[in-house]
Amino acid sequence: MKELSGASLHLALIHYPVVNKNGETIASAVTNLDIHDIARISRTYGIRSFHIVTPLKDQQVLVRRIISHWLTGGGADYNSDRRDALSLIRLQSSVADAVAEIREAGAGTPKLVATCARMRPESVGYTVMREFIAEGRPCLLCFGTAWGLPETFLKEADYVLDPIDGGTGYNHLSVRSAVSIILDRLVGQYR
Amino acid sequence: MKELSGASLHLALIHYPVVNKNGETIASAVTNLDIHDIARISRTYGIRSFHIVTPLKDQQVLVRRIISHWLTGGGADYNSDRRDALSLIRLQSSVADAVAEIREAGAGTPKLVATCARMRPESVGYTVMREFIAEGRPCLLCFGTAWGLPETFLKEADYVLDPIDGGTGYNHLSVRSAVSIILDRLVGQYR
């Protein structure tokens, strides 16, 4: 059970569709450190696959260049732990493509679990979602870059998780921090 | 109680003394994104102060330049939430200086709580440390950059926290992820 906790869980880091500071839907740029940090977190918790979603061709070239450096280039010899983490990455043009690949890999049709920095009427808690995941039901956990996922995406998701509330009302974490905390809440174990 | 959970907690991001890949004690370079991400996490959980520790003068100049951009420069107008987070930062030449400043600010003498990616015989669990913090006892939570804190530092600390174990044996998280997860375990609240 402990070893398998993340095995039905997939993760998507979404660069389109997301919103900017003014709430407009945009395609954001890929951040190198997001790729590394989130791959390492995913590997730590035994997540099944980590999907980087961007429809922009030049951004896809950038992502492929970063991954290949660490999987087969100079980085692979320098740091095999990093290779291990980055091998979880799948590059996708859309969230629908990520869902299709997960389904075709025989991992079932994942429920779309969105994240959001604001509380919503339909938000679900971590305890409920943790039990859902522990039952082995496949989920694709979706994180928006920039100012987060658009309203249309949140409405279409199967679930939206509660925001991370540190008791201060401040809700401006980096996506790297949000992924770290949420994965620990959903599949982490400690004394 | 909820609003006050992080109020006795201070955080140190240590660039010296830390160890490199070969276990030698070095001074590491400051990473811009560490400053931002960890300031935002600290602000989210109501941490009292965030100490960036480096004895290197050129690195101190760099940190001051980053902070001043966001506190009083162009960044302050552009993103006041970021200013809010970065105002928690204190630049220190040593951990001893951080302890002295916390004591002089009237916050008491903090216990040194070190973090480490490997399990140690004396390691303490998160539940125990969470109760300790909830009682309002001041703690300086210490995170090493590079390959982590040296053995001498760990031996001299009052407590060493359990490593983050995602159930896979992989223990190569970024310091940004480690801070996020550990603060949530120590002072986070959720349903």
Side-chain angles (χ1 to χ4, degrees), chain A residues 137-176:
Chain A
R137 304 196 211 184
C139 290
L140 179 59
L141 199 54
C142 298
F143 292 88
T145 55
W147 268 255
L149 296 167
E151 183 61 29
T152 49
F153 190 98
L154 296 171
K155 280 199 171 132
E156 287 169 11
D158 295 299
Y159 301 98
V160 183
L161 276 174
D162 279 353
I164 296 166
D165 176 1
T168 59
Y170 188 89
N171 64 346
H172 305 281
L173 288 173
S174 72
V175 71
R176 299 169 290 281

Side-chain angles (χ1 to χ4, degrees), chain A residues 16-91:
Chain A
Y16 177 86
V18 290
V19 296
N20 67 10
K21 208 180 172 184
N22 303 317
E24 299 152 340
T25 297
I26 56 154
S28 67
V30 171
T31 300
N32 180 35
L33 218 55
D34 285 352
I35 299 178
H36 285 267
D37 279 15
I38 298 174
R40 294 161 77 183
I41 303 160
S42 299
R43 180 66 185 79
T44 298
Y45 289 100
I47 300 309
R48 187 84 165 255
S49 61
F50 166 31
H51 301 262
I52 296 179
V53 178
T54 174
L56 302 180
K57 297 302 172 195
D58 65 327
Q59 295 288 301
Q60 293 183 352
V61 170
L62 174 67
V63 174
R64 278 199 198 93
R65 196 181 303 152
I66 293 169
I67 298 174
S68 72
H69 172 75
W70 291 98
L71 290 193
T72 58
D77 286 334
Y78 176 72
N79 190 335
S80 63
D81 296 318
R82 198 60 64 89
R83 182 183 56 202
D84 207 10
L86 270 70
S87 68
L88 293 171
I89 297 175
R90 307 288 176 266
L91 182 57

